[in-house]
Amino acid sequence: MADAKVIPFGEEPRSRRGGGSGGGGTGSGGGGGRRQHHGKDGASRRAQGPLTPVPEPRAGDAPEDAERAGTDGPGAPAADGGGGWERRLAGGLAFLRRRVTGEYEVDEFGYDKELTEQVLMSLIRPVYEKYFRVEVKGIENIPSDGGALVVANHSGTLPLDGLMMQVAVHDNHPADRHLRLLAADLVFMMPVVNELARKAGHTLACAEDAERLLLAGEVVGVMPEGFKGLGKPFGDRYKLQRFGRGGFVSTALRAGVPIVPCSIVGAEEIYPMIGNARTLARLLGLPYFPVTPTFPWLGPLGALPLPTKWTIQFGEPIPTDGYPPEAAEDPMLMFNLTDQVREQIQHSLYKLLVQRRSVFF
């Protein structure tokens, strides 16, 4: 199988899908290079956009003609009339051909825009829309272009809240922004999960990678509570844990990007953690081993999350571009900004909890 072309940051910017601006002109895929695909003969050609009008395939067309007549991805909408299934089939074949021949692009962090938008998002979206029925508020607080750091609370035993937040930004932001999540080391040590995380635009939670993404105009998401928030007992639900040492504030200050607080309600109850098998967790090399009312008692069925009703609210951005460059080294300023972000998230959580009618409705 041929390797995909790696597009580094800093090349000539390309226009975003649908004409919206975002990511400082780099596009939601992080890389910002001009989109070109290389065939076997070495010649470059522009990639077909997913919304580009194409001719209807006709009987007797060659396979390659039928492929060009389809849309770019397996999830493309069907056309009116009886040719809808033909378009979907042609689009699916075209997608598979690009996967096999390597005629698709990834950025230097491994983000695969085509695979994410046409496959991964399509798999997660039913859980987001039908199972958790996520309601999104304040999406306009994420800027339409340029970098931004989204800081959210973390909970739920398994990190489903990060994936739901990613879909919320992708599907609701008017400028078609894409959220690049910072993930823990454990994510990139797990087979299969490691590769999927990279393809979906996630990267290691380190200041260097975060700063590079922010300076490239990307929207970056971080959950400073880490495993302390994700694995906290059910009795401590919606009580924010310590936000580390404020490294995310230092990164935002150096990049000069706004900090957008994000409050997520509903994730705390999907796996009510009533116990922690610490000995088993140490043996497995995990930060904790959850015990819930259904897991491990019901086996694999106990791993099914409860269908809670979620709300994700993006708060008013906190600007950082007015501070001098040396502000990123000021520990008192970092402490104050960290506390401000944490208090804003906690206040929003309490407010949303008062407003919700039920955990499940």
Side-chain angles (χ1 to χ4, degrees):
M1 179 183 296
D3 293 331
K5 180 184 177 184
V6 177
I7 307 298
F9 285 114
E11 293 186 8
E12 182 181 351
R14 64 176 185 272
S15 59
R16 294 178 57 83
R17 174 164 60 88
S21 64
T26 64
S28 63
R34 185 174 298 276
R35 186 184 182 97
Q36 289 186 345
H37 294 224
H38 296 271
K40 297 179 179 178
D41 57 355
S44 298
R45 60 182 178 84
R46 292 298 295 262
Q48 295 175 333
L51 302 181
T52 305
V54 292
E56 189 73 18
R58 298 184 302 274
D61 283 346
E64 58 270 20
D65 295 332
E67 180 182 295
R68 287 193 294 269
T71 53
D72 263 1
D80 295 335
W85 70 270
E86 295 177 344
R87 283 180 173 271
R88 289 195 297 270
L89 178 60
L93 291 174
F95 176 83
L96 291 175
R97 180 189 60 79
R98 288 192 294 273
R99 294 289 113 184
V100 171
T101 60
E103 293 187 47
Y104 61 92
E105 63 182 35
V106 297
D107 71 10
E108 57 186 296
F109 292 95
Y111 171 51
D112 188 332
K113 184 174 186 291
E114 181 185 52
L115 182 69
T116 299
E117 293 190 347
Q118 298 186 14
V119 178
L120 301 182
M121 285 291 175
S122 298
L123 294 175
I124 302 172
R125 191 170 290 116
V127 179
Y128 170 91
E129 293 180 346
K130 305 299 183 182
Y131 198 79
F132 293 135
R133 295 147 290 145
V134 180
E135 179 184 0
V136 179
K137 299 180 179 180
I139 192 68
E140 67 279 357
N141 288 319
I142 297 178
S144 296
D145 53 31
L149 183 66
V150 178
V151 181
N153 59 304
H154 205 15
S155 63
T157 305
L158 291 181
L160 299 181
D161 49 0
L163 297 178
M164 297 302 109
M165 186 169 64
Q166 188 176 10
V167 179
V169 174
H170 180 274
D171 286 4
N172 292 278
H173 200 282
D176 193 27
R177 303 305 302 266
H178 179 72
L179 184 66
R180 306 291 293 269
L181 289 171
L182 302 180
D185 299 10
L186 182 61
V187 172
F188 300 102
M189 294 168 59
M190 301 171 65
V192 181
V193 174
N194 168 30
E195 187 67 21
L196 289 176
R198 290 286 185 189
K199 295 288 186 182
H202 306 173
T203 191
L204 191 64
C206 65
E208 292 77 11
D209 284 1
E211 187 174 353
R212 288 173 64 196
L213 285 169
L214 290 170
L215 291 174
E218 297 290 339
V219 180
V220 176
V222 62
M223 294 173 163
E225 292 177 280
F227 290 120
K228 299 188 300 294
L230 193 63
K232 65 176 175 284
F234 187 66
D236 293 336
R237 59 192 181 279
Y238 298 114
K239 297 177 183 178
L240 292 183
Q241 304 300 299
R242 184 171 174 267
F243 268 21
R245 300 177 181 177
F248 69 91
V249 170
S250 177
T251 302
L253 285 169
R254 284 195 294 269
V257 301
I259 300 173
V260 181
C262 177
S263 303
I264 304 174
V265 166
E268 296 274 12
E269 296 91 358
I270 60 174
Y271 294 110
M273 187 168 162
I274 58 176
N276 180 12
R278 290 184 173 85
T279 302
L280 186 57
R282 285 195 295 269
L283 290 174
L284 297 176
L286 300 174
Y288 55 87
F289 188 89
V291 178
T292 75
T294 58
F295 183 84
W297 326 114
L298 299 183
L301 185 62
L304 187 68
L306 297 177
T308 57
K309 174 73 170 64
W310 288 36
T311 301
I312 299 179
Q313 178 169 307
F314 298 95
E316 290 286 340
I318 300 172
T320 65
D321 54 354
Y323 294 96
E326 60 271 17
E329 308 300 329
D330 185 345
M332 185 56 66
L333 176 61
M334 285 193 294
F335 174 82
N336 290 335
L337 284 177
T338 300
D339 192 56
Q340 181 182 352
V341 174
R342 188 179 182 277
E343 286 299 319
Q344 188 167 334
I345 295 174
Q346 185 70 82
H347 178 74
S348 296
L349 286 174
Y350 288 149
K351 188 174 180 179
L352 291 171
L353 287 171
V354 170
Q355 292 173 350
R356 77 171 176 175
R357 297 174 300 169
S358 165
V359 173
F360 299 101
F361 305 103

